[in-house]
Amino acid sequence: MEKIAIAQTTSSGNWSENLRKAEQFIKRAKAEKAKMIVFPEYFMNYYPDADHKYIEKAQTLHGDFVSQMKVFAKEYKMWIIFGMNEKTVDETKNYNTMAVINENGQLIAHYHKTHLFNAYKWQESRDTIEGDRFFEPVQTPIGMLGLGVCYDLRFPEAARYEALKGTQVMIYPSAWVKGENKFIQWESLLRARAIENEMYVLGCCHYSEKHYMGRSTGFGPDGDRLYQGVEREELLFAAIDLEQIKIVRKANPVFENRRRDLYEW
């Protein structure tokens, strides 16, 4: 059984301040013997930025922010996942990117959010380029890791694709917008992705007073809740026991019972 830390944080438009906060949370996670820590979507720079410089504040995957997160990962022997706005060749738009760094300080994977939040009063595509492929799972100390970002959660195809690729722990770093019934939707979708794929599904939600609700939560392969955050910054933990996946899938072999003759994949 391994422990993963969920850093339900807010961030500012100053990436240096966000780095200082990252180290504080990493130290706490290390003290609790977590093998991995997850920061939310928009962790490097807050979005939407009050001074409208979100695009200008973008960095590459070789920039100062990622470089320092690599240092933290190596120093604390901790896997780190975090959201950032990545610079592109289009000066008017960024990628909404998740970076995955291992305990040796190596950037081993990254993911560009594929489903952009063009819903309600938001139009993420105005300043963000959509990704063109799902995340390919990677092996980690907590199991085979899959990733989606926020609005991706509403599209079950992404989670199923990654489950079929061997994912055991699916993580959704998010900035879930506050609103009527939004927590019910967040909770229900996370639990559904866990139950239908019989894997761990963990949400890490950005918290801010104005836009994002926090209230991170996650579920085991049988749908049991693992943790529940409230509307504030906090560090949460989930225990991952991969044997539970085997037990659940033996009792209810949904992947064996799938009608592959009716599905494209």
Side-chain angles (χ1 to χ4, degrees):
M1 185 176 294
E2 300 293 352
K3 186 181 290 187
I4 180 172
I6 305 297
Q8 181 175 285
T9 59
T10 189
S11 60
S12 72
N14 184 327
W15 60 266
S16 295
E17 291 180 2
N18 300 330
L19 278 176
R20 287 192 287 273
K21 180 175 291 187
E23 186 172 21
Q24 293 171 2
F25 275 82
I26 292 167
K27 284 181 178 179
R28 290 169 57 192
K30 183 67 175 180
E32 295 293 332
K33 296 181 168 50
K35 292 290 182 69
M36 176 183 291
I37 186 169
V38 182
F39 291 93
E41 180 182 23
Y42 303 136
F43 181 68
M44 186 180 81
N45 284 307
Y46 190 80
Y47 177 89
D49 196 336
D51 60 11
H52 305 293
K53 293 183 179 179
Y54 175 79
I55 301 299
E56 296 176 26
K57 294 175 181 177
Q59 295 185 22
T60 71
L61 289 168
H62 306 288
D64 292 339
F65 192 88
V66 174
S67 296
Q68 186 57 52
M69 290 295 256
K70 288 179 178 179
V71 171
F72 291 154
K74 188 173 183 179
E75 179 179 355
Y76 296 100
K77 291 298 177 185
M78 178 87 61
W79 281 66
I80 305 175
I81 300 172
F82 60 92
M84 61 177 289
N85 51 317
E86 183 187 348
K87 186 177 292 187
T88 73
V89 293
D90 185 342
E91 295 182 356
T92 67
K93 294 186 178 184
N94 296 167
Y95 283 123
N96 183 340
T97 300
M98 297 305 305
V100 181
I101 300 173
N102 69 14
E103 78 277 15
N104 296 317
Q106 299 166 317
L107 178 69
I108 64 162
H110 67 278
Y111 168 67
H112 297 148
K113 185 178 181 182
T114 51
H115 298 94
L116 301 185
F117 190 46
N118 292 340
Y120 302 100
K121 297 179 180 180
W122 296 67
Q123 288 291 316
E124 190 178 8
S125 62
R126 290 176 181 170
D127 47 30
T128 305
I129 299 175
E130 65 185 10
D132 60 4
R133 60 180 61 87
F134 292 143
F135 183 79
E136 293 296 328
V138 296
Q139 188 64 55
T140 78
I142 65 165
M144 191 69 81
L145 177 79
L147 274 180
V149 178
C150 201
Y151 196 50
D152 287 336
L153 178 59
R154 294 183 182 269
F155 301 87
E157 299 88 348
R160 176 50 56 90
Y161 172 86
E162 296 192 37
L164 291 172
K165 291 276 189 172
T167 291
Q168 296 166 303
V169 183
M170 184 79 178
I171 299 177
Y172 287 94
S174 302
W176 205 261
V177 178
K178 297 178 180 182
E180 185 177 1
N181 292 327
K182 291 300 293 294
F183 175 72
I184 292 174
Q185 295 168 17
W186 166 247
E187 176 187 48
S188 299
L189 291 168
L190 286 167
R191 180 177 266 134
R193 299 294 87 81
I195 293 171
E196 68 196 7
N197 293 296
E198 298 178 335
M199 63 184 180
Y200 287 89
V201 175
L202 312 180
C204 176
C205 187
H206 203 123
Y207 167 72
S208 70
E209 292 185 6
K210 184 174 182 179
H211 296 114
Y212 307 126
M213 68 177 185
R215 304 184 73 178
S216 300
T217 192
F219 300 92
D222 56 358
D224 280 353
R225 191 190 306 276
L226 304 176
Y227 58 90
Q228 175 64 71
V230 295
E231 294 191 25
R232 68 176 184 224
E233 288 193 289
E234 57 183 326
L235 188 62
L236 305 159
F237 295 93
I240 305 299
D241 181 0
L242 299 182
E243 288 300 313
Q244 288 300 310
I245 297 176
K246 295 178 182 179
I247 293 170
V248 171
R249 291 183 178 178
K250 182 177 180 180
N252 181 16
V254 295
F255 290 97
E256 294 178 23
N257 294 334
R258 291 176 70 239
R259 286 289 306 277
R260 293 186 179 90
D261 56 316
L262 301 180
Y263 310 145
E264 293 184 8
W265 44 269

